[in-house]
Amino acid sequence: MTFRRKLVSVSVLLLFLVATLFPALLSGAYDIDAGKVFSLIWSKITGIANSDITRAEEIILWEIRLPRLILAVTAGLALSVSGAAYQGCFRNPLVEPYILGASSGAAFGAALAILFPHIFLQGQLTAFVFSLGAVFLSYSLVASRDRIPPLALVLSGIIVGALFSAMVGIMKYLAMDTQLREITFWMMGGLHYATWSDATLNLAAIIPVCLLLWYYSWRLNILSLGDEEARSLGLNPVLSRFFVIVAATFVAAICVSTCGIIAWVGLMMPHAARLLFGPDHRWVIPGAAILGAIYILVCDTIARTLTSAEIPLGIITSIIGAPYLLWLLRTKGRTAYGL
Amino acid sequence: MVCDTHLPFEHGQIIMSIRNLSFSYGAKEVLHNVSLEITSGQLCGLLGPNGSGKTTLFKCCLGFLKPDSGEIRLGNTLLSNYSHKHLAAHVAYVPQDHQPAFPYLVREMVEMGRTPHRGMMPVLSRHDHKAVDHALERVGLRQLADERYNHLSGGQRQLVLVARALAQEASLMFMDEPTSSLDFSNQLVVWETARALAAEGISVVICCHDPNHILWFCDNVAALKEGRLLAAGLVGSTITRELLEELYNRNIHTEQVGSRTFIHPSFAYLTRC
């Protein structure tokens, strides 16, 4: 695919994302027509009150649906970009934040912060620290001198993830009723508690780091060749990989701390982007980011409109994601991943 | 820090000098007191049985491993004084044929060779594209530029890696057993390419298991056994029956056909079996 065609594909995806924003804003238990959405956003930008919009509509749009939309889009970005970055720097198309244990580590950190708010003051920071710990643990369990065996990394990630899930279980056992409710929400993954503070945190933390990882995409290409080749091409593989792991874990942990554990997205979206654009990370990262944003947005809209009660988002993404991984392994496993 | 006055090198100048190099993995000494000079514009074959330390020597020369004692100089400057990036602009590595984790296009593989010259910016300049096209042209893979690297044959993949080293504009290339998994014709293509590079003033160090190939195509040879340098020099005078018998611990015959020397095992011994 030529540069121009890739550019067109990215633009089409972006348009598609914009097009999915409106159904997401408009659909729901309360019907609001498109004109009102525009006039509300316009009145918020200009600061001029609009008498057409009722107070209820304003609250539903501005305080419920819009932050939720921002959360969905940024969560999609965070999970897909971190998945693509992990896959490149570990040379392993089977890893993502959930499989590497980053999500469970972050959930454990968040649970700790809920249970002991006096010791762990900053929930997001605690989530990030434990998430980073989990990823480095999975990585150091299998890394030998110059090779990271792909399946062994997946296995050790699952083991580390199980360990942290078990520790979240202990936290749940120790928790009071309200704390238990909060922790359970983290484990399931969902956007139903969306607030503006979460949305602005996601916007401020996830978007700049995702852009930084995009800027790092050339290094990711080179890292994906292996450490010796990277070194012979003038890149310090250890330092670069360390940076990529920290940045990818950061966005994944922020996403977990605001939206809970949403599995498989980080695996599916980079792969879908690779089918569209080829393996070059300069295209995989933006492609996966937009696809991920669309995917979470669509899944979340389904999650809250399919039934009268809400289905947790993590359940929907897993129902679609697990068979996708199975299909990936059966069709491409042998040739592409050396399994 | 880095003195560049001697780069690029004149034909016949010493580009890399290795002095009294020793290296051990833990308690196991892999290289012992190796001294070798690599001359620019020449093809140097590295001969030695499995486990003789060839790969370790390569890794030391490429800066992957730090020698325990002794020194390696590129030009007049110690290798350890070069940054990763700076070293990569002068010395390239052509690894053994392998499958990459992701199915990059041939062009993308070669583009990565531009890294030491362009930094890590995601967009290539016109000059970079020119260098990539030129490198592909040189190895005759221009038509395959938009193919997937892992769909090529082993020989073509090896040539792509050579093209990447060319795009790197390195004056010294280390090729790790480039012909080991190739059929006869592809082996010849790789050797011909290596010769053409040497003719253009690039020094190439090739590690190879076939002494005949080294005799036919290389200018110089270095023979390693158990981490020690047994002999080094011009191929004609260095590769002798005695050297090969000492290297491989078996009877070896040499035969002169016209001006060419051929090395073969003792066929009398074979028929006796």
Side-chain angles (χ1 to χ4, degrees), chain B residues 50-180:
Chain B
N50 290 330
S52 56
K54 298 189 299 290
T55 309
T56 310
L57 181 61
F58 265 29
K59 287 182 178 176
C60 287
C61 293
L62 286 157
F64 298 171
L65 297 174
K66 276 212 159 46
D68 297 333
S69 66
E71 56 175 43
I72 304 174
R73 283 175 188 275
L74 178 64
N76 284 338
T77 314
L78 275 176
L79 211 59
S80 49
N81 285 349
Y82 281 87
S83 68
H84 280 286
K85 190 175 163 182
H86 213 95
L87 188 62
H90 299 300
V91 183
Y93 173 48
V94 180
Q96 242 175 310
D97 176 38
H98 66 295
Q99 287 282 348
F102 298 107
Y104 290 110
L105 299 182
V106 168
R107 177 183 299 282
E108 289 166 346
M109 283 298 276
V110 179
E111 280 174 357
M112 292 191 215
R114 296 300 301 161
T115 309
H117 299 282
R118 55 183 290 277
M120 301 297 169
M121 289 301 289
V123 183
L124 275 89
S125 71
R126 189 179 295 252
H127 177 70
D128 291 326
H129 283 296
K130 224 181 241 170
V132 169
D133 286 342
H134 184 62
L136 282 167
E137 194 83 61
R138 286 263 292 280
V139 298
L141 290 181
R142 190 74 185 271
Q143 285 75 33
L144 298 178
D146 293 315
E147 292 290 317
R148 299 232 165 273
Y149 173 77
N150 55 347
H151 289 175
L152 302 185
S153 72
Q156 288 168 330
R157 279 206 294 270
Q158 200 67 57
L159 289 178
V160 172
L161 296 175
V162 172
R164 190 176 73 190
L166 280 172
Q168 213 172 325
E169 292 175 16
S171 35
L172 174 58
M173 280 185 203
F174 287 89
M175 298 192 185
D176 195 0
E177 295 180 25
T179 56
S180 60

Side-chain angles (χ1 to χ4, degrees), chain A residues 231-256:
Chain A
R231 207 169 276 151
S232 78
L233 290 170
L235 184 77
N236 183 339
V238 179
L239 211 65
S240 306
R241 183 180 301 110
F242 179 79
F243 178 85
V244 170
I245 291 174
V246 171
T249 309
F250 176 76
V251 288
I254 293 292
C255 176
V256 169

Side-chain angles (χ1 to χ4, degrees), chain A residues 5-35:
Chain A
R5 280 186 57 191
K6 285 178 179 171
L7 207 62
V8 170
S9 309
V10 168
S11 316
V12 169
L13 282 181
L14 260 179
L15 282 178
F16 197 72
L17 173 63
V18 173
T20 45
L21 292 179
F22 289 100
L25 270 182
L26 299 180
S27 62
Y30 188 93
D31 281 325
I32 298 174
D33 61 75

Side-chain angles (χ1 to χ4, degrees), chain A residues 1 29 44 53-54 62 64 89 92 103 130-131 137 142 148-149 165 188 196 211 235 238 278 288 307 314:
Chain A
M1 199 151 55
K44 285 285 180 187
I53 301 155
T54 64
W62 193 256
I64 297 172
C89 83
N92 187 341
S103 304
F130 279 94
S131 186
L137 188 61
V142 292
I148 312 161
S165 298
M188 268 191 316
W196 267 110
L211 286 174
L235 184 77
V238 179
T307 58

Side-chain angles (χ1 to χ4, degrees), chain A residues 107-116 120 164-176 179-180 183-184 187:
Chain A
F108 175 68
L112 267 185
I114 292 170
L115 225 61
F116 307 107
F120 302 99
F164 277 101
S165 298
M167 292 201 287
V168 172
I170 299 173
M171 296 291 114
K172 277 180 173 173
Y173 187 74
L174 294 174
M176 306 289 178
Q179 293 169 334
L180 182 63
I183 296 171
T184 309
M187 293 306 294

